[in-house]
Amino acid sequence: MRDSNFTALINDRNNAFKIIFSVRSNLSDDSQKILKESIFRIVSYKYFWYSKESYKFCRLFISDLVIALTLLCKKDKRIFYVYLRSSIEAFYNCANMIDEQNIENDSSSYFKTKKKFKNLISTQKGFQFLESFETLNESYKQISNVIHRNVYTQDKLTVYMNEYFKTDDFEDSIEIAQAIELLDTLTEIYSSFFLTSPSFKNILEDSFYRRKTLLREIQKY
């Protein structure tokens, strides 16, 4: 018999997809399939972090992804990518279990936590994650380029504002397909770390204590 929590997870995934598809009916079959997989992973993260649900950075991590997902229904791709990039920063904080009381709120904090994460994955025996780490780095650069592109250059503010309100970035099927592919890449990397990293093993075991069937269902999916 299928675990009731897993059934709830699937239902949550399906309902979220229906909401997005009601706005973005221009999605190709491939994009629909990829998006469903990404939503499934995002919904599953609340179960991964169940034993640490009050931890600030896990809440920020999940929130960034949920907001990014919701922003596929909006017109401005830049805001979508801001939250997607923020999810990478929050992921490093989560993976390193950074002390939420002593976090440095400056421009160097991202690079420090990224370096710490690289040390973490390099010292875990038998854990191969450096290739995924490089993909995260490249994705971060790619996202940053999108965020800092197309800045305001109009002579008149009203011209810029009128153009902004008329434009729907994700109306373009190629544009939204690229956004969904990147979301898929990142969530696949996040899930791989949570499910296979020795450093996350205790948190995962605590989160799925007496819910081993649910974990097996997620791993098989």
Side-chain angles (χ1 to χ4, degrees), residues 6 20 59 91 93 113 121 128 140 143 153 160 179 181 189-190 211-212 219-220:
F6 186 77
I20 296 173
R59 287 186 284 113
F91 169 72
N93 285 329
T113 53
I121 61 176
Q128 304 295 325
Y140 193 89
I143 293 169
T153 56
Y160 173 81
E181 285 175 11
I189 290 173
Y190 299 153
R211 293 197 294 184
K212 297 293 191 298
Q219 289 170 325
K220 287 189 303 182

Side-chain angles (χ1 to χ4, degrees), residues 113-215:
T113 53
K114 184 176 77 168
K115 182 179 180 180
K116 187 172 182 180
F117 179 77
K118 185 177 182 180
N119 291 335
L120 173 70
I121 61 176
S122 299
T123 55
Q124 295 185 74
K125 188 176 180 180
F127 183 56
Q128 304 295 325
F129 207 76
L130 285 175
E131 186 175 336
S132 294
F133 174 67
E134 291 305 321
T135 301
L136 284 178
N137 286 335
E138 289 304 313
S139 298
Y140 193 89
K141 293 175 186 176
Q142 177 185 344
I143 293 169
S144 295
N145 288 337
V146 175
I147 292 172
H148 297 301
R149 197 185 302 150
N150 297 328
V151 294
Y152 167 68
T153 56
Q154 297 285 351
D155 291 334
K156 293 183 178 180
L157 179 60
T158 52
V159 174
Y160 173 81
M161 292 176 70
N162 286 330
E163 286 299 315
Y164 178 86
F165 289 124
K166 287 190 294 184
T167 302
D168 183 350
D169 295 330
F170 288 139
E171 197 171 44
D172 185 322
S173 59
I174 295 176
E175 197 73 64
I176 196 167
Q178 291 173 341
I180 290 171
E181 285 175 11
L182 189 51
L183 176 66
D184 178 67
T185 296
L186 294 182
T187 55
E188 188 173 16
I189 290 173
Y190 299 153
S191 292
S192 175
F193 178 84
F194 295 140
L195 288 169
T196 63
S197 172
S199 65
F200 197 73
K201 183 179 178 181
N202 289 339
I203 294 176
L204 201 65
E205 288 181 347
D206 289 345
S207 294
F208 288 96
Y209 179 67
R210 292 183 178 176
R211 293 197 294 184
K212 297 293 191 298
T213 302
L214 173 60
L215 178 57

Side-chain angles (χ1 to χ4, degrees), residues 19-165:
I19 291 172
I20 296 173
F21 191 67
S22 69
V23 178
R24 299 299 178 194
S25 57
N26 59 331
L27 294 179
S28 67
D29 290 345
D30 284 344
S31 290
Q32 291 179 49
K33 179 177 181 294
I34 292 171
L35 180 58
K36 286 179 180 179
E37 291 171 352
S38 297
I39 297 172
F40 175 86
R41 296 186 194 111
I42 293 170
V43 176
S44 71
Y45 295 152
K46 68 179 182 180
Y47 294 101
F48 290 177
W49 283 95
Y50 181 77
S51 63
K52 296 284 185 182
E53 61 182 347
S54 63
Y55 179 49
K56 174 183 176 180
F57 292 115
C58 89
R59 287 186 284 113
L60 287 174
F61 167 71
I62 296 172
S63 178
D64 283 340
L65 288 169
V66 170
I67 294 172
L69 192 63
T70 305
L71 286 166
L72 289 172
C73 297
K74 295 292 187 179
K75 297 181 176 184
D76 191 343
K77 70 178 181 182
R78 185 174 182 272
I79 304 175
F80 165 82
Y81 284 110
V82 165
Y83 278 96
L84 203 58
R85 185 176 69 171
S86 182
S87 78
I88 298 177
E89 297 167 355
F91 169 72
Y92 285 147
N93 285 329
C94 285
N96 289 314
M97 290 302 292
I98 297 295
D99 186 345
E100 54 194 293
Q101 301 300 323
N102 299 321
I103 186 68
E104 299 177 53
N105 293 311
D106 57 47
S107 58
S108 67
S109 62
Y110 164 72
F111 298 99
K112 290 177 181 177
T113 53
K114 184 176 77 168
K115 182 179 180 180
K116 187 172 182 180
F117 179 77
K118 185 177 182 180
N119 291 335
L120 173 70
I121 61 176
S122 299
T123 55
Q124 295 185 74
K125 188 176 180 180
F127 183 56
Q128 304 295 325
F129 207 76
L130 285 175
E131 186 175 336
S132 294
F133 174 67
E134 291 305 321
T135 301
L136 284 178
N137 286 335
E138 289 304 313
S139 298
Y140 193 89
K141 293 175 186 176
Q142 177 185 344
I143 293 169
S144 295
N145 288 337
V146 175
I147 292 172
H148 297 301
R149 197 185 302 150
N150 297 328
V151 294
Y152 167 68
T153 56
Q154 297 285 351
D155 291 334
K156 293 183 178 180
L157 179 60
T158 52
V159 174
Y160 173 81
M161 292 176 70
N162 286 330
E163 286 299 315
Y164 178 86
F165 289 124

